[in-house]
Amino acid sequence: PELPVISVEEFRRTLKRLYGSVHAGWVKYLDVTEVGRVPKGEFVNRARSIGVTGQVAALFAELDVDKKGFITLQDLYPEVSKITKQFFTCVQETYGTIEEAWRKAFDVTKRKVVGKKEFAKGCEAIGFEGNSEKLFSLLKPEAGRTFLELSDLGRHAAATVKAPELPSITPEDFRKMLKRQCGEVEAAWRQSLDPPEVGRVRRGEFNDRTRAMGITGNVAALFTDLDVDRKGFITLQDVDPEVKWITKQFFKCVQETHGTIEEAWPKAFEVTKKTQVGKLEFAAGCEAIGFEGDVEKVFELFKLEADRTFLELSDLRQAAVAVKAHEKD
């Protein structure tokens, strides 16, 4: 059955009902890493984890109007973003950090908690001219709370201060990074980007896995550059066009001579029944299936690790999966 549509306003009401305010929902359950932005995959997972049902991916697309690949508090609730941004700008201009402002303007009695009246006085001290009562309600992590703590403001500061622009990464830069880490693009693909071996990686998975590899920069924009035909996922062939052509030619020869790689493996490659095939044996197998491309290049592409000196049937199966995934769409 088709999932129900969720409007942006309905989602805001859900956050208010569950957490007292949109802002509290954002900092406690959506932007849990406190980086000021939430990519699509993380948004979908976190929205579902708090019980939101329906077309969450479509909701994200409605929020991400400028197609950044992530959303900020500004996208979710511009009104909230505006008032909190004004507040933290005043904090920065008067005391530099929220920690300094808390001690000198808000928690002047040193009780570690600040009520509505004390908060209003602190706002006056930092030159904030907005609605301090409304802001107090927005910053509370729970609707029934009658006070604020420093930790409440600290979390909100991370959500409100504009996230720094991430450096761009071109597809060519990305390929170089993968080669530095794993020797070949295909080895990096199978080890780190597509470990479940499904042959395709969606945007959220790509963002998470590239960060896990230590790659910094605007990976959301990189994904968009790689997914040129807007499939919503990428394959190894999107990451490295050279791989696309050479692997397609190899498996075309396999299909024409033996039908499947499982049939070709024992009859053309693993003729000694050792379960492993070295470079010379692989070259002989390529000749047997009529492949006239760069055999050494293909051997290096199919290896799981850069320092491996052999191939196994599982290596070729994974490469075949990537080829088929790209041809489906």
Side-chain angles (χ1 to χ4, degrees), residues 171-193 213 215 236 239-243 297 300-301 304-307:
E172 185 55 38
D173 290 336
F174 185 54
R175 286 189 279 272
K176 289 176 182 176
M177 292 175 188
L178 297 181
K179 287 179 180 179
R180 278 199 303 271
Q181 286 201 20
C182 303
E184 286 293 339
V185 172
E186 181 151 346
W189 171 267
R190 286 181 284 170
Q191 288 177 47
S192 303
L193 293 174
M213 294 171 70
I215 293 174
L236 175 60
V239 176
D240 196 340
E242 182 185 359
V243 170
K297 174 69 174 176
E300 293 299 322
L301 286 173
L304 269 175
E305 294 94 28
D307 58 352

PDB file of all heavy atoms in Angstrom, residues 171-193 213 215 236 239-243 297 300-301 304-307:
ATOM      1  N   PRO A 171      34.791  14.264  -8.777  1.00  0.00           N
ATOM      2  CA  PRO A 171      34.895  12.811  -8.973  1.00  0.00           C
ATOM      3  C   PRO A 171      36.336  12.344  -9.169  1.00  0.00           C
ATOM      4  O   PRO A 171      36.714  11.280  -8.675  1.00  0.00           O
ATOM      5  CB  PRO A 171      34.043  12.573 -10.226  1.00  0.00           C
ATOM      6  CG  PRO A 171      32.996  13.640 -10.150  1.00  0.00           C
ATOM      7  CD  PRO A 171      33.731  14.848  -9.628  1.00  0.00           C
ATOM      8  N   GLU A 172      37.143  13.162  -9.844  1.00  0.00           N
ATOM      9  CA  GLU A 172      38.539  12.776 -10.064  1.00  0.00           C
ATOM     10  C   GLU A 172      39.323  12.787  -8.750  1.00  0.00           C
ATOM     11  O   GLU A 172      40.132  11.890  -8.474  1.00  0.00           O
ATOM     12  CB  GLU A 172      39.194  13.719 -11.075  1.00  0.00           C
ATOM     13  CG  GLU A 172      40.618  13.330 -11.467  1.00  0.00           C
ATOM     14  CD  GLU A 172      40.723  11.903 -11.996  1.00  0.00           C
ATOM     15  OE1 GLU A 172      39.820  11.444 -12.720  1.00  0.00           O
ATOM     16  OE2 GLU A 172      41.722  11.235 -11.654  1.00  0.00           O
ATOM     17  N   ASP A 173      39.083  13.808  -7.913  1.00  0.00           N
ATOM     18  CA  ASP A 173      39.706  13.850  -6.581  1.00  0.00           C
ATOM     19  C   ASP A 173      39.314  12.608  -5.775  1.00  0.00           C
ATOM     20  O   ASP A 173      40.142  12.007  -5.083  1.00  0.00           O
ATOM     21  CB  ASP A 173      39.242  15.092  -5.795  1.00  0.00           C
ATOM     22  CG  ASP A 173      39.803  16.385  -6.361  1.00  0.00           C
ATOM     23  OD1 ASP A 173      40.859  16.328  -7.015  1.00  0.00           O
ATOM     24  OD2 ASP A 173      39.179  17.433  -6.140  1.00  0.00           O
ATOM     25  N   PHE A 174      38.037  12.246  -5.874  1.00  0.00           N
ATOM     26  CA  PHE A 174      37.521  11.096  -5.132  1.00  0.00           C
ATOM     27  C   PHE A 174      38.205   9.803  -5.574  1.00  0.00           C
ATOM     28  O   PHE A 174      38.591   8.977  -4.745  1.00  0.00           O
ATOM     29  CB  PHE A 174      36.012  11.008  -5.336  1.00  0.00           C
ATOM     30  CG  PHE A 174      35.332   9.935  -4.533  1.00  0.00           C
ATOM     31  CD1 PHE A 174      35.483   9.867  -3.160  1.00  0.00           C
ATOM     32  CD2 PHE A 174      34.518   8.991  -5.156  1.00  0.00           C
ATOM     33  CE1 PHE A 174      34.851   8.884  -2.409  1.00  0.00           C
ATOM     34  CE2 PHE A 174      33.891   8.005  -4.419  1.00  0.00           C
ATOM     35  CZ  PHE A 174      34.055   7.952  -3.050  1.00  0.00           C
ATOM     36  N   ARG A 175      38.362   9.641  -6.878  1.00  0.00           N
ATOM     37  CA  ARG A 175      39.034   8.437  -7.383  1.00  0.00           C
ATOM     38  C   ARG A 175      40.474   8.359  -6.882  1.00  0.00           C
ATOM     39  O   ARG A 175      40.967   7.287  -6.518  1.00  0.00           O
ATOM     40  CB  ARG A 175      38.998   8.414  -8.912  1.00  0.00           C
ATOM     41  CG  ARG A 175      37.636   8.071  -9.480  1.00  0.00           C
ATOM     42  CD  ARG A 175      37.676   7.853 -10.966  1.00  0.00           C
ATOM     43  NE  ARG A 175      37.666   9.087 -11.715  1.00  0.00           N
ATOM     44  CZ  ARG A 175      36.564   9.727 -12.098  1.00  0.00           C
ATOM     45  NH1 ARG A 175      35.372   9.243 -11.785  1.00  0.00           N
ATOM     46  NH2 ARG A 175      36.632  10.842 -12.795  1.00  0.00           N
ATOM     47  N   LYS A 176      41.138   9.503  -6.822  1.00  0.00           N
ATOM     48  CA  LYS A 176      42.522   9.525  -6.315  1.00  0.00           C
ATOM     49  C   LYS A 176      42.562   9.123  -4.840  1.00  0.00           C
ATOM     50  O   LYS A 176      43.468   8.408  -4.402  1.00  0.00           O
ATOM     51  CB  LYS A 176      43.123  10.925  -6.504  1.00  0.00           C
ATOM     52  CG  LYS A 176      43.423  11.276  -7.953  1.00  0.00           C
ATOM     53  CD  LYS A 176      43.934  12.705  -8.065  1.00  0.00           C
ATOM     54  CE  LYS A 176      44.195  13.089  -9.520  1.00  0.00           C
ATOM     55  NZ  LYS A 176      44.607  14.516  -9.645  1.00  0.00           N
ATOM     56  N   MET A 177      41.589   9.612  -4.054  1.00  0.00           N
ATOM     57  CA  MET A 177      41.519   9.257  -2.633  1.00  0.00           C
ATOM     58  C   MET A 177      41.335   7.745  -2.463  1.00  0.00           C
ATOM     59  O   MET A 177      41.976   7.119  -1.614  1.00  0.00           O
ATOM     60  CB  MET A 177      40.338   9.986  -1.961  1.00  0.00           C
ATOM     61  CG  MET A 177      40.491  11.486  -1.860  1.00  0.00           C
ATOM     62  SD  MET A 177      38.964  12.237  -1.191  1.00  0.00           S
ATOM     63  CE  MET A 177      39.317  13.978  -1.393  1.00  0.00           C
ATOM     64  N   LEU A 178      40.448   7.180  -3.269  1.00  0.00           N
ATOM     65  CA  LEU A 178      40.192   5.745  -3.177  1.00  0.00           C
ATOM     66  C   LEU A 178      41.432   4.936  -3.543  1.00  0.00           C
ATOM     67  O   LEU A 178      41.743   3.931  -2.901  1.00  0.00           O
ATOM     68  CB  LEU A 178      39.021   5.360  -4.090  1.00  0.00           C
ATOM     69  CG  LEU A 178      37.665   5.980  -3.755  1.00  0.00           C
ATOM     70  CD1 LEU A 178      36.599   5.481  -4.729  1.00  0.00           C
ATOM     71  CD2 LEU A 178      37.244   5.667  -2.330  1.00  0.00           C
ATOM     72  N   LYS A 179      42.140   5.378  -4.556  1.00  0.00           N
ATOM     73  CA  LYS A 179      43.355   4.672  -4.978  1.00  0.00           C
ATOM     74  C   LYS A 179      44.441   4.754  -3.905  1.00  0.00           C
ATOM     75  O   LYS A 179      45.161   3.786  -3.665  1.00  0.00           O
ATOM     76  CB  LYS A 179      43.874   5.240  -6.300  1.00  0.00           C
ATOM     77  CG  LYS A 179      43.029   4.843  -7.499  1.00  0.00           C
ATOM     78  CD  LYS A 179      43.566   5.458  -8.789  1.00  0.00           C
ATOM     79  CE  LYS A 179      42.715   5.058  -9.979  1.00  0.00           C
ATOM     80  NZ  LYS A 179      43.204   5.668 -11.234  1.00  0.00           N
ATOM     81  N   ARG A 180      44.545   5.918  -3.252  1.00  0.00           N
ATOM     82  CA  ARG A 180      45.543   6.067  -2.185  1.00  0.00           C
ATOM     83  C   ARG A 180      45.236   5.116  -1.028  1.00  0.00           C
ATOM     84  O   ARG A 180      46.131   4.542  -0.415  1.00  0.00           O
ATOM     85  CB  ARG A 180      45.574   7.511  -1.681  1.00  0.00           C
ATOM     86  CG  ARG A 180      46.401   8.451  -2.527  1.00  0.00           C
ATOM     87  CD  ARG A 180      46.766   9.704  -1.748  1.00  0.00           C
ATOM     88  NE  ARG A 180      45.613  10.420  -1.236  1.00  0.00           N
ATOM     89  CZ  ARG A 180      44.956  11.373  -1.905  1.00  0.00           C
ATOM     90  NH1 ARG A 180      45.358  11.693  -3.122  1.00  0.00           N
ATOM     91  NH2 ARG A 180      43.927  11.984  -1.369  1.00  0.00           N
ATOM     92  N   GLN A 181      43.954   4.964  -0.719  1.00  0.00           N
ATOM     93  CA  GLN A 181      43.579   4.129   0.421  1.00  0.00           C
ATOM     94  C   GLN A 181      43.638   2.636   0.131  1.00  0.00           C
ATOM     95  O   GLN A 181      44.052   1.847   0.980  1.00  0.00           O
ATOM     96  CB  GLN A 181      42.160   4.483   0.885  1.00  0.00           C
ATOM     97  CG  GLN A 181      42.073   5.807   1.616  1.00  0.00           C
ATOM     98  CD  GLN A 181      40.817   5.893   2.482  1.00  0.00           C
ATOM     99  OE1 GLN A 181      40.214   4.891   2.827  1.00  0.00           O
ATOM    100  NE2 GLN A 181      40.426   7.104   2.836  1.00  0.00           N
ATOM    101  N   CYS A 182      43.216   2.244  -1.076  1.00  0.00           N
ATOM    102  CA  CYS A 182      43.022   0.805  -1.339  1.00  0.00           C
ATOM    103  C   CYS A 182      43.760   0.275  -2.563  1.00  0.00           C
ATOM    104  O   CYS A 182      43.627  -0.896  -2.887  1.00  0.00           O
ATOM    105  CB  CYS A 182      41.537   0.504  -1.489  1.00  0.00           C
ATOM    106  SG  CYS A 182      40.569   0.990  -0.050  1.00  0.00           S
ATOM    107  N   GLY A 183      44.510   1.125  -3.241  1.00  0.00           N
ATOM    108  CA  GLY A 183      45.256   0.661  -4.412  1.00  0.00           C
ATOM    109  C   GLY A 183      44.492   0.814  -5.706  1.00  0.00           C
ATOM    110  O   GLY A 183      45.031   1.283  -6.704  1.00  0.00           O
ATOM    111  N   GLU A 184      43.214   0.411  -5.721  1.00  0.00           N
ATOM    112  CA  GLU A 184      42.364   0.525  -6.900  1.00  0.00           C
ATOM    113  C   GLU A 184      40.974   0.996  -6.484  1.00  0.00           C
ATOM    114  O   GLU A 184      40.527   0.739  -5.360  1.00  0.00           O
ATOM    115  CB  GLU A 184      42.255  -0.815  -7.633  1.00  0.00           C
ATOM    116  CG  GLU A 184      43.511  -1.219  -8.405  1.00  0.00           C
ATOM    117  CD  GLU A 184      43.802  -0.310  -9.597  1.00  0.00           C
ATOM    118  OE1 GLU A 184      42.869   0.362 -10.079  1.00  0.00           O
ATOM    119  OE2 GLU A 184      44.963  -0.269 -10.029  1.00  0.00           O
ATOM    120  N   VAL A 185      40.298   1.651  -7.418  1.00  0.00           N
ATOM    121  CA  VAL A 185      38.952   2.140  -7.151  1.00  0.00           C
ATOM    122  C   VAL A 185      38.014   0.977  -6.842  1.00  0.00           C
ATOM    123  O   VAL A 185      37.208   1.038  -5.910  1.00  0.00           O
ATOM    124  CB  VAL A 185      38.419   2.954  -8.353  1.00  0.00           C
ATOM    125  CG1 VAL A 185      36.945   3.301  -8.152  1.00  0.00           C
ATOM    126  CG2 VAL A 185      39.235   4.226  -8.538  1.00  0.00           C
ATOM    127  N   GLU A 186      38.121  -0.089  -7.602  1.00  0.00           N
ATOM    128  CA  GLU A 186      37.202  -1.214  -7.404  1.00  0.00           C
ATOM    129  C   GLU A 186      37.402  -1.866  -6.038  1.00  0.00           C
ATOM    130  O   GLU A 186      36.438  -2.269  -5.383  1.00  0.00           O
ATOM    131  CB  GLU A 186      37.367  -2.265  -8.502  1.00  0.00           C
ATOM    132  CG  GLU A 186      36.416  -3.421  -8.315  1.00  0.00           C
ATOM    133  CD  GLU A 186      36.018  -4.099  -9.603  1.00  0.00           C
ATOM    134  OE1 GLU A 186      36.250  -3.538 -10.675  1.00  0.00           O
ATOM    135  OE2 GLU A 186      35.473  -5.202  -9.517  1.00  0.00           O
ATOM    136  N   ALA A 187      38.639  -1.973  -5.588  1.00  0.00           N
ATOM    137  CA  ALA A 187      38.899  -2.546  -4.262  1.00  0.00           C
ATOM    138  C   ALA A 187      38.255  -1.684  -3.178  1.00  0.00           C
ATOM    139  O   ALA A 187      37.643  -2.203  -2.232  1.00  0.00           O
ATOM    140  CB  ALA A 187      40.396  -2.660  -4.026  1.00  0.00           C
ATOM    141  N   ALA A 188      38.364  -0.359  -3.309  1.00  0.00           N
ATOM    142  CA  ALA A 188      37.749   0.553  -2.339  1.00  0.00           C
ATOM    143  C   ALA A 188      36.229   0.438  -2.375  1.00  0.00           C
ATOM    144  O   ALA A 188      35.566   0.488  -1.334  1.00  0.00           O
ATOM    145  CB  ALA A 188      38.179   1.987  -2.641  1.00  0.00           C
ATOM    146  N   TRP A 189      35.697   0.290  -3.583  1.00  0.00           N
ATOM    147  CA  TRP A 189      34.250   0.147  -3.732  1.00  0.00           C
ATOM    148  C   TRP A 189      33.743  -1.060  -2.945  1.00  0.00           C
ATOM    149  O   TRP A 189      32.794  -0.977  -2.174  1.00  0.00           O
ATOM    150  CB  TRP A 189      33.888   0.011  -5.206  1.00  0.00           C
ATOM    151  CG  TRP A 189      32.456  -0.351  -5.444  1.00  0.00           C
ATOM    152  CD1 TRP A 189      31.923  -1.605  -5.592  1.00  0.00           C
ATOM    153  CD2 TRP A 189      31.346   0.560  -5.542  1.00  0.00           C
ATOM    154  NE1 TRP A 189      30.568  -1.536  -5.774  1.00  0.00           N
ATOM    155  CE2 TRP A 189      30.193  -0.224  -5.750  1.00  0.00           C
ATOM    156  CE3 TRP A 189      31.232   1.949  -5.482  1.00  0.00           C
ATOM    157  CZ2 TRP A 189      28.926   0.347  -5.892  1.00  0.00           C
ATOM    158  CZ3 TRP A 189      29.972   2.516  -5.620  1.00  0.00           C
ATOM    159  CH2 TRP A 189      28.842   1.721  -5.819  1.00  0.00           C
ATOM    160  N   ARG A 190      34.390  -2.174  -3.121  1.00  0.00           N
ATOM    161  CA  ARG A 190      33.904  -3.412  -2.515  1.00  0.00           C
ATOM    162  C   ARG A 190      34.194  -3.475  -1.016  1.00  0.00           C
ATOM    163  O   ARG A 190      33.401  -3.994  -0.242  1.00  0.00           O
ATOM    164  CB  ARG A 190      34.494  -4.615  -3.246  1.00  0.00           C
ATOM    165  CG  ARG A 190      33.847  -4.815  -4.622  1.00  0.00           C
ATOM    166  CD  ARG A 190      34.416  -6.020  -5.322  1.00  0.00           C
ATOM    167  NE  ARG A 190      35.747  -5.736  -5.849  1.00  0.00           N
ATOM    168  CZ  ARG A 190      36.563  -6.663  -6.340  1.00  0.00           C
ATOM    169  NH1 ARG A 190      36.212  -7.921  -6.311  1.00  0.00           N
ATOM    170  NH2 ARG A 190      37.736  -6.339  -6.834  1.00  0.00           N
ATOM    171  N   GLN A 191      35.321  -2.933  -0.601  1.00  0.00           N
ATOM    172  CA  GLN A 191      35.675  -2.990   0.819  1.00  0.00           C
ATOM    173  C   GLN A 191      34.899  -1.987   1.666  1.00  0.00           C
ATOM    174  O   GLN A 191      34.458  -2.305   2.767  1.00  0.00           O
ATOM    175  CB  GLN A 191      37.167  -2.709   0.997  1.00  0.00           C
ATOM    176  CG  GLN A 191      38.084  -3.821   0.537  1.00  0.00           C
ATOM    177  CD  GLN A 191      39.531  -3.409   0.691  1.00  0.00           C
ATOM    178  OE1 GLN A 191      39.936  -2.891   1.723  1.00  0.00           O
ATOM    179  NE2 GLN A 191      40.328  -3.610  -0.333  1.00  0.00           N
ATOM    180  N   SER A 192      34.746  -0.771   1.139  1.00  0.00           N
ATOM    181  CA  SER A 192      34.247   0.324   1.981  1.00  0.00           C
ATOM    182  C   SER A 192      32.932   0.952   1.542  1.00  0.00           C
ATOM    183  O   SER A 192      32.159   1.423   2.382  1.00  0.00           O
ATOM    184  CB  SER A 192      35.313   1.433   2.067  1.00  0.00           C
ATOM    185  OG  SER A 192      36.520   0.918   2.561  1.00  0.00           O
ATOM    186  N   LEU A 193      32.663   0.967   0.244  1.00  0.00           N
ATOM    187  CA  LEU A 193      31.457   1.644  -0.227  1.00  0.00           C
ATOM    188  C   LEU A 193      30.282   0.685  -0.408  1.00  0.00           C
ATOM    189  O   LEU A 193      29.142   1.028  -0.093  1.00  0.00           O
ATOM    190  CB  LEU A 193      31.744   2.387  -1.542  1.00  0.00           C
ATOM    191  CG  LEU A 193      32.700   3.569  -1.419  1.00  0.00           C
ATOM    192  CD1 LEU A 193      33.030   4.139  -2.786  1.00  0.00           C
ATOM    193  CD2 LEU A 193      32.114   4.663  -0.527  1.00  0.00           C
ATOM    194  N   MET A 213      35.306   6.421   6.041  1.00  0.00           N
ATOM    195  CA  MET A 213      36.634   6.235   5.431  1.00  0.00           C
ATOM    196  C   MET A 213      37.562   7.404   5.746  1.00  0.00           C
ATOM    197  O   MET A 213      38.730   7.387   5.370  1.00  0.00           O
ATOM    198  CB  MET A 213      36.502   6.097   3.912  1.00  0.00           C
ATOM    199  CG  MET A 213      35.766   4.857   3.444  1.00  0.00           C
ATOM    200  SD  MET A 213      35.429   4.918   1.662  1.00  0.00           S
ATOM    201  CE  MET A 213      37.101   4.707   1.022  1.00  0.00           C
ATOM    202  N   ILE A 215      36.924  10.543   4.691  1.00  0.00           N
ATOM    203  CA  ILE A 215      36.855  11.526   3.602  1.00  0.00           C
ATOM    204  C   ILE A 215      36.019  12.710   4.065  1.00  0.00           C
ATOM    205  O   ILE A 215      34.858  12.555   4.456  1.00  0.00           O
ATOM    206  CB  ILE A 215      36.267  10.888   2.336  1.00  0.00           C
ATOM    207  CG1 ILE A 215      37.236   9.832   1.797  1.00  0.00           C
ATOM    208  CG2 ILE A 215      35.972  11.947   1.268  1.00  0.00           C
ATOM    209  CD1 ILE A 215      36.708   9.026   0.638  1.00  0.00           C
ATOM    210  N   LEU A 236      29.573   1.142  -9.165  1.00  0.00           N
ATOM    211  CA  LEU A 236      31.005   1.260  -9.426  1.00  0.00           C
ATOM    212  C   LEU A 236      31.262   1.933 -10.766  1.00  0.00           C
ATOM    213  O   LEU A 236      32.208   2.707 -10.924  1.00  0.00           O
ATOM    214  CB  LEU A 236      31.653  -0.128  -9.399  1.00  0.00           C
ATOM    215  CG  LEU A 236      33.129  -0.209  -9.770  1.00  0.00           C
ATOM    216  CD1 LEU A 236      33.985   0.639  -8.833  1.00  0.00           C
ATOM    217  CD2 LEU A 236      33.607  -1.653  -9.742  1.00  0.00           C
ATOM    218  N   VAL A 239      31.315   5.643 -10.453  1.00  0.00           N
ATOM    219  CA  VAL A 239      32.500   6.152  -9.775  1.00  0.00           C
ATOM    220  C   VAL A 239      33.701   6.179 -10.709  1.00  0.00           C
ATOM    221  O   VAL A 239      34.492   7.118 -10.699  1.00  0.00           O
ATOM    222  CB  VAL A 239      32.821   5.303  -8.519  1.00  0.00           C
ATOM    223  CG1 VAL A 239      34.123   5.781  -7.865  1.00  0.00           C
ATOM    224  CG2 VAL A 239      31.682   5.395  -7.514  1.00  0.00           C
ATOM    225  N   ASP A 240      33.845   5.151 -11.549  1.00  0.00           N
ATOM    226  CA  ASP A 240      35.005   5.063 -12.438  1.00  0.00           C
ATOM    227  C   ASP A 240      34.565   4.596 -13.822  1.00  0.00           C
ATOM    228  O   ASP A 240      34.395   3.392 -14.069  1.00  0.00           O
ATOM    229  CB  ASP A 240      36.040   4.096 -11.866  1.00  0.00           C
ATOM    230  CG  ASP A 240      37.407   4.253 -12.526  1.00  0.00           C
ATOM    231  OD1 ASP A 240      37.452   4.813 -13.637  1.00  0.00           O
ATOM    232  OD2 ASP A 240      38.403   3.832 -11.933  1.00  0.00           O
ATOM    233  N   PRO A 241      34.361   5.518 -14.777  1.00  0.00           N
ATOM    234  CA  PRO A 241      33.911   5.158 -16.130  1.00  0.00           C
ATOM    235  C   PRO A 241      34.820   4.144 -16.831  1.00  0.00           C
ATOM    236  O   PRO A 241      34.345   3.338 -17.623  1.00  0.00           O
ATOM    237  CB  PRO A 241      33.920   6.503 -16.865  1.00  0.00           C
ATOM    238  CG  PRO A 241      33.764   7.523 -15.787  1.00  0.00           C
ATOM    239  CD  PRO A 241      34.507   6.965 -14.608  1.00  0.00           C
ATOM    240  N   GLU A 242      36.113   4.192 -16.539  1.00  0.00           N
ATOM    241  CA  GLU A 242      37.036   3.227 -17.146  1.00  0.00           C
ATOM    242  C   GLU A 242      36.671   1.811 -16.709  1.00  0.00           C
ATOM    243  O   GLU A 242      36.695   0.863 -17.490  1.00  0.00           O
ATOM    244  CB  GLU A 242      38.468   3.540 -16.743  1.00  0.00           C
ATOM    245  CG  GLU A 242      39.493   2.596 -17.374  1.00  0.00           C
ATOM    246  CD  GLU A 242      40.900   2.847 -16.876  1.00  0.00           C
ATOM    247  OE1 GLU A 242      41.090   3.760 -16.064  1.00  0.00           O
ATOM    248  OE2 GLU A 242      41.797   2.124 -17.308  1.00  0.00           O
ATOM    249  N   VAL A 243      36.326   1.674 -15.446  1.00  0.00           N
ATOM    250  CA  VAL A 243      35.904   0.384 -14.922  1.00  0.00           C
ATOM    251  C   VAL A 243      34.641  -0.076 -15.639  1.00  0.00           C
ATOM    252  O   VAL A 243      34.491  -1.253 -15.982  1.00  0.00           O
ATOM    253  CB  VAL A 243      35.646   0.478 -13.403  1.00  0.00           C
ATOM    254  CG1 VAL A 243      34.976  -0.778 -12.890  1.00  0.00           C
ATOM    255  CG2 VAL A 243      36.950   0.727 -12.665  1.00  0.00           C
ATOM    256  N   LYS A 297      45.161  -4.961 -16.122  1.00  0.00           N
ATOM    257  CA  LYS A 297      44.295  -3.934 -15.522  1.00  0.00           C
ATOM    258  C   LYS A 297      43.055  -4.572 -14.886  1.00  0.00           C
ATOM    259  O   LYS A 297      42.669  -4.241 -13.755  1.00  0.00           O
ATOM    260  CB  LYS A 297      43.876  -2.928 -16.602  1.00  0.00           C
ATOM    261  CG  LYS A 297      42.871  -1.884 -16.148  1.00  0.00           C
ATOM    262  CD  LYS A 297      43.463  -0.912 -15.180  1.00  0.00           C
ATOM    263  CE  LYS A 297      42.486   0.205 -14.852  1.00  0.00           C
ATOM    264  NZ  LYS A 297      43.009   1.122 -13.829  1.00  0.00           N
ATOM    265  N   GLU A 300      43.881  -6.357 -11.632  1.00  0.00           N
ATOM    266  CA  GLU A 300      44.054  -5.413 -10.525  1.00  0.00           C
ATOM    267  C   GLU A 300      42.711  -4.846 -10.053  1.00  0.00           C
ATOM    268  O   GLU A 300      42.482  -4.642  -8.867  1.00  0.00           O
ATOM    269  CB  GLU A 300      44.987  -4.273 -10.942  1.00  0.00           C
ATOM    270  CG  GLU A 300      46.420  -4.686 -11.197  1.00  0.00           C
ATOM    271  CD  GLU A 300      47.085  -5.280  -9.958  1.00  0.00           C
ATOM    272  OE1 GLU A 300      46.823  -4.788  -8.841  1.00  0.00           O
ATOM    273  OE2 GLU A 300      47.853  -6.251 -10.107  1.00  0.00           O
ATOM    274  N   LEU A 301      41.807  -4.612 -11.010  1.00  0.00           N
ATOM    275  CA  LEU A 301      40.499  -4.070 -10.670  1.00  0.00           C
ATOM    276  C   LEU A 301      39.676  -5.042  -9.834  1.00  0.00           C
ATOM    277  O   LEU A 301      38.951  -4.644  -8.915  1.00  0.00           O
ATOM    278  CB  LEU A 301      39.712  -3.729 -11.946  1.00  0.00           C
ATOM    279  CG  LEU A 301      40.135  -2.493 -12.724  1.00  0.00           C
ATOM    280  CD1 LEU A 301      39.377  -2.416 -14.030  1.00  0.00           C
ATOM    281  CD2 LEU A 301      39.906  -1.229 -11.903  1.00  0.00           C
ATOM    282  N   LEU A 304      40.349  -7.801  -4.262  1.00  0.00           N
ATOM    283  CA  LEU A 304      39.747  -7.172  -3.091  1.00  0.00           C
ATOM    284  C   LEU A 304      40.729  -6.284  -2.336  1.00  0.00           C
ATOM    285  O   LEU A 304      40.356  -5.265  -1.781  1.00  0.00           O
ATOM    286  CB  LEU A 304      39.201  -8.239  -2.146  1.00  0.00           C
ATOM    287  CG  LEU A 304      37.742  -8.645  -2.362  1.00  0.00           C
ATOM    288  CD1 LEU A 304      37.370  -9.792  -1.454  1.00  0.00           C
ATOM    289  CD2 LEU A 304      36.811  -7.471  -2.139  1.00  0.00           C
ATOM    290  N   GLU A 305      41.994  -6.687  -2.287  1.00  0.00           N
ATOM    291  CA  GLU A 305      43.018  -5.888  -1.605  1.00  0.00           C
ATOM    292  C   GLU A 305      44.149  -5.611  -2.578  1.00  0.00           C
ATOM    293  O   GLU A 305      44.474  -6.445  -3.429  1.00  0.00           O
ATOM    294  CB  GLU A 305      43.576  -6.615  -0.369  1.00  0.00           C
ATOM    295  CG  GLU A 305      42.574  -6.803   0.750  1.00  0.00           C
ATOM    296  CD  GLU A 305      41.881  -8.142   0.668  1.00  0.00           C
ATOM    297  OE1 GLU A 305      42.500  -9.083   0.129  1.00  0.00           O
ATOM    298  OE2 GLU A 305      40.727  -8.249   1.106  1.00  0.00           O
ATOM    299  N   ALA A 306      44.770  -4.437  -2.402  1.00  0.00           N
ATOM    300  CA  ALA A 306      45.807  -4.014  -3.339  1.00  0.00           C
ATOM    301  C   ALA A 306      46.998  -4.963  -3.383  1.00  0.00           C
ATOM    302  O   ALA A 306      47.610  -5.159  -4.434  1.00  0.00           O
ATOM    303  CB  ALA A 306      46.283  -2.600  -2.984  1.00  0.00           C
ATOM    304  N   ASP A 307      47.341  -5.588  -2.248  1.00  0.00           N
ATOM    305  CA  ASP A 307      48.535  -6.432  -2.204  1.00  0.00           C
ATOM    306  C   ASP A 307      48.239  -7.911  -2.476  1.00  0.00           C
ATOM    307  O   ASP A 307      49.120  -8.755  -2.365  1.00  0.00           O
ATOM    308  CB  ASP A 307      49.255  -6.280  -0.855  1.00  0.00           C
ATOM    309  CG  ASP A 307      48.349  -6.623   0.326  1.00  0.00           C
ATOM    310  OD1 ASP A 307      47.134  -6.834   0.100  1.00  0.00           O
ATOM    311  OD2 ASP A 307      48.853  -6.669   1.458  1.00  0.00           O
TER     312      ASP A 307
END
